[in-house]
Amino acid sequence: MTILYGVPGEGLGHATRSKVLISWLLGQGHDVRVVSSSRAFTLLDKTFPGRVLEIAGFHIAYEGLAVSKSRTIGLTLRSAPEALQTNFRQYRQLLHGFRPEVVISDFESFSYFFAKLLRVPVISIDNMQIISRAHLNVTVPAAEREPYDVARYLVRAKLPRARHYLITTFFELPLRLRYAERTTLVPSIIRPEIQAAQPTKGNYILVYQTATNQTNLVEILQQLPEQEFRVYGFNKDEAHGNVLLRPFSEAGFIAELAGSRAVLTNGGFSLISEAVYLHKPVCAVPIPAQFEQWLNAAEIEKLGYGRRFEEITADNVQVFLTDLPQFEAALVGYAQSGNEVLFARLAELLEEVR
């Protein structure tokens, strides 16, 4: 089949997950073209040369460690005219010699609108749709109500009336009745490199921070001198006592994730899913005003796989470290057979479209 695959450019989580599915689709003999932007485009274009078109994407603006709605809106409005021109040019390029039979979107809008223009079916594959298509099993505190309402609205509006929604998740939630027929929950997408890794229990904590403007992180971790921390996200190669800053290295990161005792991160879905798959306890500190991250962190705590905190402090990290044995015991019960469930369900959906 001819397939157009849309991948958002904000962050690399969508790209690394989509790379797994695109590789599988190509291995099944499908003709796949990809649209993406920013760093995700660079990664995918390197992996699938000649198959990826660069579009202008949406970007999130931060104020301190939190998402800034006003700055994000301003950035979007300023870049919208040029973005529309770029995407229109790419749309015309796609029309020459390539007509998809189905569009797969990982929470990406351009591919969705392209599908609607051509009247071809859309299959949604992402973790975000769980916010609107399932009943939550955690209590949303007052401080998170507005981000929750905004997230539900945005998720519902993002890819409406797709043929089917495949929701990747490391936690089970009951689906809302009106969405159940066209929605399937599947286990998180796990990269082959993670599946091949042999987990061991080292004596260090792996730390990953995307909000690299938290300038006091090293000082906080130095307050726990008996514990070693290996920190990714600052892209530096430095030693500060018990805190080792690591430069970017995908292979190095995977190796140290597999050998870590536990993980300290924000609420990003990809790393949390991989940590759970490898049975690594998670200390999750979600970025403020990102409800999806708050939900991931809340589910980690509810499942007993780790702890959720509003901020990184020495006391919070020490509480997490003290309870590591009980988190490790809970994670023993998590089992996942790679990506086989997702691959099988996607194959069924593509056959229905065919």
Side-chain angles (χ1 to χ4, degrees), residues 12 38 88 92 97 106 108 112 126 174 182 193-194 242 247 256-257 277 281 306 318 329 334:
L12 288 179
S38 193
F88 182 70
R92 294 181 63 182
D106 184 347
E108 195 280 318
Y112 171 82
D126 63 62
R182 292 190 295 121
E193 298 86 351
I194 296 294
N242 65 316
E256 294 204 321
L257 171 61
Y277 179 83
Q318 184 59 63
Y334 184 85

Side-chain angles (χ1 to χ4, degrees), residues 58-61 69-80:
F58 170 79
H59 298 286
I60 296 174
K69 289 184 288 186
S70 61
R71 290 186 179 184
T72 298
I73 292 170
L75 178 62
T76 301
L77 292 176
R78 287 194 302 273
S79 61

Side-chain angles (χ1 to χ4, degrees), residues 13-279:
H14 294 277
T16 55
R17 296 194 299 267
S18 296
K19 187 169 73 168
V20 174
L21 276 172
I22 294 167
S23 297
W24 179 80
L25 289 167
L26 291 171
Q28 298 298 303
H30 299 291
D31 182 9
V32 185
R33 306 290 174 88
V34 184
V35 290
S36 190
S37 61
S38 193
R39 290 197 302 157
F41 164 78
T42 303
L43 172 66
L44 294 171
D45 186 52
K46 182 179 179 180
T47 308
F48 308 108
R51 293 186 176 274
V52 188
L53 283 174
E54 185 173 16
I55 59 174
F58 170 79
H59 298 286
I60 296 174
Y62 293 89
E63 185 171 2
L65 299 179
V67 174
S68 171
K69 289 184 288 186
S70 61
R71 290 186 179 184
T72 298
I73 292 170
L75 178 62
T76 301
L77 292 176
R78 287 194 302 273
S79 61
E82 182 179 351
L84 288 173
Q85 291 181 24
T86 299
N87 291 353
F88 182 70
R89 286 196 299 270
Q90 298 297 52
Y91 165 71
R92 294 181 63 182
Q93 183 175 340
L94 271 175
L95 282 176
H96 288 285
F98 181 79
R99 185 179 181 88
E101 298 169 84
V102 63
V103 167
I104 298 175
S105 176
D106 184 347
F107 213 64
E108 195 280 318
S109 297
F110 175 79
S111 56
Y112 171 82
F113 290 122
F114 187 77
K116 292 304 178 182
L117 284 169
L118 296 183
R119 297 183 179 180
V120 299
V122 177
I123 297 174
S124 168
I125 305 178
D126 63 62
N127 63 295
M128 299 289 291
Q129 293 290 339
I130 202 166
I131 294 173
S132 67
R133 304 182 77 84
H135 294 284
L136 301 189
N137 62 354
V138 290
T139 301
V140 179
E144 295 295 332
R145 290 301 308 184
E146 181 182 356
Y148 176 39
D149 291 339
V150 170
R152 275 196 305 174
Y153 172 79
L154 291 176
V155 168
R156 282 201 302 265
K158 187 74 171 181
L159 302 173
R161 297 180 298 280
R163 183 183 183 96
H164 203 86
Y165 297 83
L166 292 172
I167 301 177
T168 57
T169 179
F170 63 89
F171 52 91
E172 290 284 336
L173 292 181
L175 293 171
R176 296 181 184 273
L177 185 60
R178 60 177 171 152
Y179 296 135
E181 184 178 353
R182 292 190 295 121
T183 306
T184 305
L185 299 184
V186 295
S188 307
I189 298 173
I190 304 298
R191 291 179 285 169
E193 298 86 351
I194 296 294
Q195 295 184 50
Q198 297 298 318
T200 57
K201 188 164 71 175
N203 59 1
Y204 61 89
I205 305 300
L206 183 77
V207 183
Y208 179 70
Q209 284 292 298
T210 53
T212 53
N213 50 355
Q214 183 173 351
T215 57
N216 64 339
L217 178 63
V218 172
E219 288 78 5
I220 290 172
L221 299 179
Q222 285 177 326
Q223 296 176 41
L224 302 165
E226 302 302 317
Q227 177 62 62
E228 179 182 329
F229 298 91
R230 302 184 184 180
V231 182
Y232 285 81
F234 294 92
N235 199 24
K236 295 180 179 180
D237 188 5
E238 299 175 357
H240 300 268
N242 65 316
V243 182
L244 307 180
L245 302 185
R246 297 301 208 208
F248 173 76
S249 166
E250 184 176 13
F253 180 83
I254 291 173
E256 294 204 321
L257 171 61
S260 66
R261 176 78 189 274
V263 174
L264 169 59
T265 185
N266 49 48
F269 180 78
S270 292
L271 178 52
I272 288 181
S273 295
E274 292 176 348
V276 169
Y277 179 83
L278 294 173
H279 291 182

Side-chain angles (χ1 to χ4, degrees), residues 315-343:
D315 288 342
N316 287 345
V317 175
Q318 184 59 63
V319 168
F320 168 70
L321 295 176
T322 301
D323 293 335
L324 282 180
Q326 69 186 52
F327 303 145
E328 292 166 345
L331 281 160
V332 170
Y334 184 85
Q336 176 180 340
S337 178
N339 302 309
E340 297 309 311
V341 174
L342 171 58
F343 290 162

